[in-house]
Amino acid sequence: MNRRHWMLASALVTLTGAAWSQASGGVSRIIVPFAAGGAREMPARAIQHELSKELDQNWIIEAKPGAGGAIGTVAVARATPDGRTLLMAASSHFVTAAMGARPFYDPVKEFTPVVNIGNQSYILMVNAKLPVKTVAEFVQYAKSNPGLLNYNSAGVGSSTHLAMAYFAKFAGIEMQHVPYKGTQEAVTDVIGGRGHAVIVPTAGVGLYLQESRLRVIGSTARKRTPLLPSIPTIAESGLPGFVFESWFGLLAPMGTPATVVEKINAAVNNVIAIKDVRERLQNLGIESSYLSVEDFNKLFTADRELMTRIVKESGITRD
């Protein structure tokens, strides 16, 4: 084979490979930018098997932790925009940049929102020795004792931090933030009386419902969650309009063709409509969502504005 024929043959193989990568088969990846086994990985695991069947592709979950999520996130931003590498993202996607840090990527300009898997709410708990049994009583107590109360969180910039900071700002109360390395440590010190309040993801609250030294007083959800139907929302407990929910969803590198984005969106919406998948997500405290690409884009934009506002109004920084 002469050089000209070899070059033509090589080009043909390259084109065939590119076409194959857009078609069925092959391996596709959902990148989780945190350690394996964490809250960000669970929604991806819940849809993985059925998504592989729906798209006739082998979807794998790959954890790429490090630098507060930046390593995995950058890996997706720099990936080929063909729909074969997606980021398992959540509302915290915007937080690092909002806090004034330089996360090595633009959370908006370098990503295309693909699909919202579902939304997670949070539960407000207080130490049982506080003389309050409802959200309204807690707010009134805090206003009567400005600066006396503190709240624990899973760390600066965590969803548990942002949720409580937003609650305090919304309610017009003053509380001192005490960050921990994780949710369990934060809750343990509220149980022990070294903290007054804490907000935890709905799915994790079951561990503490029988703890007599804690009192569950409200949910950050838009409406009462089926997991805990007896717990009133904060909005119905004296703070109308208050909602704090985190979305979980898939993002693609900017430049991914619209047809590919639409195909994945439809496939994931089909998957989360399956009863078993819906129940898996619900057990994780995630209410399934069925948003179009357009509607997820609206949620993505609105959440960016909310998270940025919470960070700036609450004066949250990495320092």
Side-chain angles (χ1 to χ4, degrees), residues 109-189:
K109 294 180 180 178
E110 295 191 64
F111 296 91
T112 297
V114 178
V115 64
N116 179 209
I117 295 172
N119 303 313
Q120 174 181 257
S121 58
Y122 299 82
I123 300 296
L124 172 59
M125 305 187 297
V126 299
N127 181 276
K129 289 184 179 180
L130 282 181
V132 302
K133 293 184 177 179
T134 66
V135 170
E137 290 178 356
F138 179 72
V139 171
Q140 185 55 50
Y141 183 78
K143 288 183 176 180
S144 300
N145 299 275
L148 175 67
L149 299 181
N150 61 37
Y151 68 91
N152 297 350
S153 82
V156 174
S158 67
S159 58
T160 57
H161 179 197
L162 295 173
M164 187 63 94
Y166 183 43
F167 169 76
K169 192 74 177 179
F170 198 99
I173 59 178
E174 182 183 341
M175 299 178 70
Q176 180 67 36
H177 174 228
V178 183
Y180 285 74
K181 292 183 178 180
T183 301
Q184 186 172 345
E185 294 93 332
V187 176
T188 296
D189 267 13

Side-chain angles (χ1 to χ4, degrees), residues 198-214:
V198 65
I199 278 181
V200 301
T202 299
V205 77
L207 298 171
Y208 311 112
L209 289 178
Q210 303 306 315
E211 174 53 66
S212 62
R213 292 170 291 178
L214 283 176

Side-chain angles (χ1 to χ4, degrees), residues 224-307:
R224 295 197 186 198
T225 170
L227 281 178
L228 301 164
S230 65
I231 298 177
T233 66
I234 290 173
E236 68 180 281
S237 303
L239 290 176
F242 178 85
V243 176
F244 186 93
E245 295 178 330
S246 292
W247 54 263
F248 289 99
L250 298 176
L251 308 181
M254 183 60 72
T256 302
T259 53
V260 174
V261 171
E262 291 284 355
K263 181 178 180 180
I264 297 173
N265 177 278
V268 172
N269 280 328
N270 287 341
V271 165
I272 61 178
I274 299 170
K275 182 181 178 182
D276 288 347
V277 176
R278 196 165 59 247
E279 290 177 351
R280 273 180 239 154
L281 291 170
Q282 192 172 85
N283 288 336
L284 294 171
I286 299 171
E287 294 297 316
S288 302
S289 179
Y290 304 92
L291 298 183
S292 65
V293 173
E294 180 182 1
D295 287 338
F296 184 37
N297 264 283
K298 292 178 182 177
L299 172 62
F300 189 78
T301 300
D303 199 62
R304 177 201 180 195
E305 294 172 355
L306 175 61
M307 292 297 159

Side-chain angles (χ1 to χ4, degrees), residues 38-50:
R40 190 75 68 88
E41 182 180 343
M42 295 302 101
R45 293 286 177 200
I47 67 170
Q48 177 188 12
H49 180 65
E50 286 78 6

